[in-house]
Every structure is written in C-alpha cells, then in structure tokens.
C-alpha cells in the first residue's frame, strides 16, 4: 500500500490513518474518524508519537515510511512516545517496536505502562521509561516536554510538547471524530469543527472537566499555554490556530452555557409529544433557544452535545407499567455516566409525563436526574391525553423554565 505522510512543520509529520467508514465509536455515532500518529525528526533521534487502531496498520506503515523518504533518511525510529494506552491509539505499538527498532527507547506515564500490560499482556518484558510533568527528552536540537493529563480522558493520559515549534501532541484532548482528506483546521469551517469538538467533549471529556480546569490553570500559570502554536490531537483535524478550541474547552469545562434549553422526550400515543411541543413553545416565547430530541429517532450522543451548553433541560416520558417508558433508559444511563455537574454547571430540569392511571414515571425520572446532577425545579404529570387547559399549563411551565435560566 502507498500513503503519503503530511508535513506539519520542518521535520514533523502526520503519519496517522483515516477510517472513512467508521460509524460508531465510544458508543456514539460518528461520520468516520482518524487515528492520528506523528513522527518528529531530531538531529540525533527520530520519535514516533502514538499509534493506530486495529485493521489500520498498512496505511499507517506506508505513511511512516513515506515520511522517511521525504526526509531522505534511513529508516530507524529511536524513540516511541505513548501518550495514552487505549486500543485506538496503541493496537500496533508492540508490533511497531519489534519491526521498527526493538532497541528503541519507550516513554509513557506510569499508568499507561500499567494499562498496556493489562490490555495486551505482552509489555512486561519491555523497559518503558515512566515520565510525568517536568520531564524532558532531548532528541538533538529539539526538546520533548511531557505533561501529565490524567482523566483527559483516561487516568493514563499525558501530553507531549515539542518545545521549539510549540506543537502540543494532546492525544484525546481537543479532538473531533471526523474523516476528511485534508489535515488542518484551516481547511474546513471553524464552526463546523467546533461543533464536532463539542460532541466529542460532551460525550468523552465532560467527566474530566475538573481535571481540565486544573490543567488549563497549570498551563497558564507556568506560561506553557503561550508556547502552544499548534495542537495535534489523536482524532480529527490538527489545530494550526489553537485559540478557538482552547477557548471552547475553557468554556465547556467551566460550565459556561447559553440561554438554551434541550427538550428530550419519548412517547407511545403522542400525548407526551404534545406536551413536549407545548413546552418548547413556552420556552421560545421567552426568547430562549429550544432544541428538541425524540428518543425513538435520535441518539443520546447528540442530546448530550446540546445539553453541554444548555442551562436547563425538559425531559419527558410516558408511564408504562408504573415506570418511565423503557426507551428513555438509555438516555438516563448516558446522563448518569457523563454527569454535567463536574463542569460546575447547575442545570435545572422540568420533568413531564402522560399516564394512564397510576403513574410512576415522574418519581423515577426525578430520582435519576438528581443523581445525574440536575436540579428538578418542576414537574407535570398528565392523565391520558392533554386537553386545552393542560396544554396551556405545559406552555406556561416551559415559559417558567426559560425565565428561571435568565434570572
């Protein structure tokens, strides 16, 4: 196979792979993705940073060898840096070490070293250097600085900064699940990339928001933030202009939200749907943005994306056998996993439901939402099909919820 490496700077190349047809990853829908890896040529040592996923070796191997051809250098990788052990970034690490240079130096966080062995069971015989914030590696005219980044998004994660060029190899932080033929942010609309980055953050990084805030503070206080000229994540586009994504991460990680409410519902005979529509009308009547999701058709990953920058949600499901309609359960588990409270955002919630006789959905949804970090400010439990008076009440409850986020 032939594949061309992409030059990012003098002696720095993208040697990752494009997974054009991937449609799901980490449990949510994606339009394809990339598994990014990078080669850095120093005067004395050549470094491979990160690796790729199963089924992708031929494309990866071809790019690595093309980078050496472009540099006019004999093929030899002296150093392997593994920023994170998850399989989409490490599947071929042992193979590349054995094929490219069994005597190479290897660097990773201590957690990463432990996790590699726990996942593959064939790393214990290798000498891997454990590194953390403050450790550096001179590769000849160039310096790699290691920065611990736990929970962004695994406990083993770290960043690697190519100091002289200011390129931050950030692994899973600052990424997006997209698959495009060009590699840089400047090649695509910034707002489109930020939306994909928001989906990525919402579903994968939200839980680590407290650690993100600490890391951004650390980078700012040490002055390293000013040294970052380019961010090269392990998924998606490389940020030649990192300011927009750093600003958004700061906002998302700190619970900065819009005057926006996400309405989520499921329905059996359309009664709960009627309520959802009226609640949305009430929200909009107050000049607040409403986003609507129907869980028969929509995925929880998209819902999570909009909840990230919403100040409140309205959640509805009919009662079925004294419990919430089961299809809403996937959404509830997702909310519990993500837990937006870690961002510092105090999100209000309105719960609404239609019941046939005894009810039960509202109480269960309230317990689950509160456990997931939401503040339930109001409920609406309706008997069978809502009449005009109930529809008016639903409208007013939507308006009240909208007013509550503007106070």
């Amino acid at each position: 196979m032939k594949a061309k490496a992409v030059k990012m700077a003098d002696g720095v190349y993208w040697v990752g792979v494009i997974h054009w047809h991937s449609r799901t990853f980490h449990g949510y829908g994606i339009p394809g993705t990339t598994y990014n890896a990078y080669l850095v040529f120093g005067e004395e040592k050549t470094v491979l940073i990160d690796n790729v996923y199963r089924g992708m070796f031929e494309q990866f191997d071809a790019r690595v060898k093309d980078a050496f051809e472009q540099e006019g250098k004999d093929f030899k990788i002296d150093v392997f840096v593994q920023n994170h052990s998850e399989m989409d970034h490490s599947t071929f690490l042992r193979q590349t070490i054995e094929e490219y240079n069994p005597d190479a130096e290897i660097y990773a966080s201590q957690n990463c070293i432990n996790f590699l062995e726990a996942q593959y069971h064939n790393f214990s015989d290798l000498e891997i250097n454990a590194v953390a914030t403050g450790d550096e590696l001179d590769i000849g005219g160039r310096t790699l600085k290691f920065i611990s980044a736990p929970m962004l998004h695994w406990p083993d994660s770290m960043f690697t900064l190519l100091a002289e060029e200011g390129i931050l190899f950030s692994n899973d932080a600052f990424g997006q699940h997209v698959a495009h033929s060009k590699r840089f942010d400047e090649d695509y609309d910034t707002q489109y990339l930020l939306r994909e980055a928001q989906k990525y953050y919402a579903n994968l990084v939200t839980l680590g928001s407290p650690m993100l805030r600490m890391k951004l503070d650390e980078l700012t206080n040490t002055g390293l933030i000013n040294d970052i000229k380019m961010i090269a994540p392990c998924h998606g586009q490389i940020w030649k202009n990192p300011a927009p994504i750093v600003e958004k991460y700061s906002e998302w990680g700190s619970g900065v939200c819009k005057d926006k409410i996400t309405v989520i519902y499921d329905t059996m005979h359309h009664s709960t749907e009627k309520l959802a529509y009226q609640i949305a009308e009430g929200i909009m009547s107050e000049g607040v943005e409403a986003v609507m999701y129907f869980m028969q058709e929509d995925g929880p990953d998209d819902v999570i994306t909009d909840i990230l920058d919403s100040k409140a949600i309205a959640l509805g499901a009919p009662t079925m056998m004294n419990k919430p309609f089961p299809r809403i359960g996937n959404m509830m588990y997702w909310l519990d996993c993500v837990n937006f409270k870690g961002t510092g955002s105090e999100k209000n919630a309105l719960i609404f439901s239609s019941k046939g006789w005894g009810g039960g959905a509202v109480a269960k949804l309230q317990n689950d939402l509160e456990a997931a970090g939401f503040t339930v400010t109001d409920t609406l439990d309706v008997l069978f099909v809502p009449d005009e008076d109930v529809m008016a009440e639903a409208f007013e409850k939507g308006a009240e919820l909208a007013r509550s986020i503007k106070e």
Side-chain angles (χ1 to χ4, degrees):
M1 180 177 183
K2 290 185 67 65
K4 189 175 180 62
V6 177
K7 190 172 185 178
M8 300 163 53
D10 286 344
V12 183
Y13 293 83
W14 173 81
V15 292
V17 300
I18 307 172
H19 197 175
W20 297 100
H21 298 124
S22 180
R23 291 295 177 266
T24 182
F25 201 78
H26 293 107
Y28 71 86
I30 60 174
T33 192
T34 63
Y35 307 113
N36 299 335
Y38 302 95
L39 264 180
V40 180
F41 291 89
E43 294 173 2
E44 299 172 6
K45 297 176 181 179
T46 299
V47 182
L48 177 64
I49 299 175
D50 292 315
N51 211 276
V52 298
Y53 204 22
R54 60 175 180 260
M56 300 278 113
F57 181 76
E58 288 187 355
Q59 188 184 153
F60 167 63
D61 184 57
R63 283 195 218 282
V64 169
K65 289 172 179 172
D66 179 74
F68 277 90
E69 290 180 10
Q70 290 189 49
E71 285 292 300
K73 293 189 175 182
D74 293 336
F75 186 83
K76 184 187 178 187
I77 293 178
D78 304 286
V79 175
F80 291 83
V81 171
Q82 194 65 37
N83 282 326
H84 169 41
S85 68
E86 194 173 1
M87 289 184 176
D88 53 322
H89 309 303
S90 66
T91 294
F92 297 104
L93 177 58
R94 181 70 197 233
Q95 180 177 335
T96 51
I97 291 169
E98 291 175 352
E99 292 189 15
Y100 296 170
N101 183 3
D103 298 320
E105 303 167 36
I106 311 166
Y107 294 86
S109 71
Q110 184 60 59
N111 269 332
C112 184
I113 296 169
N114 298 340
F115 290 1
L116 286 169
E117 178 59 25
Q119 291 175 88
Y120 297 104
H121 311 292
N122 64 354
F123 278 85
S124 60
D125 63 315
L126 295 179
E127 182 180 341
I128 305 178
N129 299 284
V131 290
T133 298
D135 292 330
E136 298 183 0
L137 178 65
D138 183 355
I139 60 173
R142 287 181 151 165
T143 308
L144 298 179
K145 293 185 176 182
F146 302 110
I147 303 166
S148 299
M151 298 314 299
L152 300 176
H153 72 130
W154 273 24
D156 68 330
S157 297
M158 72 177 188
F159 302 156
T160 300
L161 177 68
L162 181 58
E164 290 75 14
E165 282 73 18
I167 301 175
L168 183 71
F169 300 99
S170 62
N171 201 268
D172 271 326
F174 308 108
Q176 331 94 55
H177 279 306
V178 295
H180 296 303
S181 61
K182 296 182 179 180
R183 298 274 56 81
F184 300 104
D185 61 321
E186 64 188 14
D187 298 315
Y188 301 94
D189 178 72
T190 300
Q191 292 308 310
Y192 155 73
L193 290 180
L194 290 176
R195 176 64 180 180
E196 292 298 329
Q198 180 173 335
K199 182 175 184 178
Y200 186 99
Y201 185 100
N203 286 276
L204 296 177
V205 187
T206 295
L207 188 64
S209 292
M211 296 301 297
L212 171 69
R213 294 194 296 273
M214 292 173 59
K215 187 54 54 178
L216 289 177
D217 286 345
E218 175 189 314
L219 292 174
T220 300
N221 293 337
T222 59
L224 283 175
I225 197 76
N226 298 319
D227 297 335
I228 299 171
K229 310 303 180 188
M230 185 187 303
I231 295 179
C234 260
H235 293 292
Q237 304 306 111
I238 298 164
W239 300 93
K240 278 191 173 181
N241 176 18
I245 189 61
V246 171
E247 180 181 357
K248 283 298 180 184
Y249 260 57
S250 178
E251 291 179 1
W252 297 331
S254 302
V256 175
C257 296
K258 302 175 183 177
D259 282 348
K260 170 180 166 183
I261 296 172
T262 300
V263 182
I264 312 132
Y265 77 95
D266 213 328
T267 196
M268 287 190 290
H269 299 297
H270 303 288
S271 293
T272 308
E273 182 176 69
K274 291 176 185 291
L275 297 174
Y277 281 25
Q278 278 298 97
I279 288 167
E281 290 292 338
I283 292 167
M284 293 185 291
S285 74
E286 293 292 326
V288 169
E289 180 183 359
V291 183
M292 178 80 75
Y293 286 100
F294 175 30
M295 298 318 299
Q296 179 177 315
E297 305 291 344
D298 300 320
D301 44 312
D302 289 317
V303 183
I304 293 294
T305 304
D306 273 306
I307 293 176
L308 178 64
D309 63 358
S310 294
K311 290 182 179 177
I313 68 169
L315 177 70
T319 292
M320 179 177 173
M321 302 176 188
N322 304 315
K323 296 292 189 299
F325 190 44
R327 200 160 50 204
I328 206 73
N330 189 29
M331 186 71 249
M332 299 309 299
Y333 274 119
W334 211 281
L335 287 172
D336 195 35
C337 281
V338 171
N339 205 316
F340 289 100
K341 200 165 186 178
T343 66
S345 171
E346 296 290 338
K347 297 184 188 294
N348 291 342
L350 163 66
I351 298 171
F352 58 99
S353 178
S354 171
K355 62 187 177 183
W357 46 93
V362 169
K364 173 63 173 169
L365 291 174
Q366 181 164 351
N367 287 337
D368 290 346
L369 274 183
E370 289 174 347
F374 291 83
T375 300
V376 177
T377 57
D378 204 354
T379 64
L380 178 61
D381 203 7
V382 175
L383 184 64
F384 284 108
V385 180
D387 60 18
E388 287 302 314
D389 289 341
V390 171
M391 294 287 274
E393 183 181 3
F395 181 97
E396 182 55 31
K397 285 186 180 292
E400 288 175 0
L401 184 63
R403 289 192 291 270
S404 77
I405 68 172
K406 296 192 295 183
E407 294 174 352

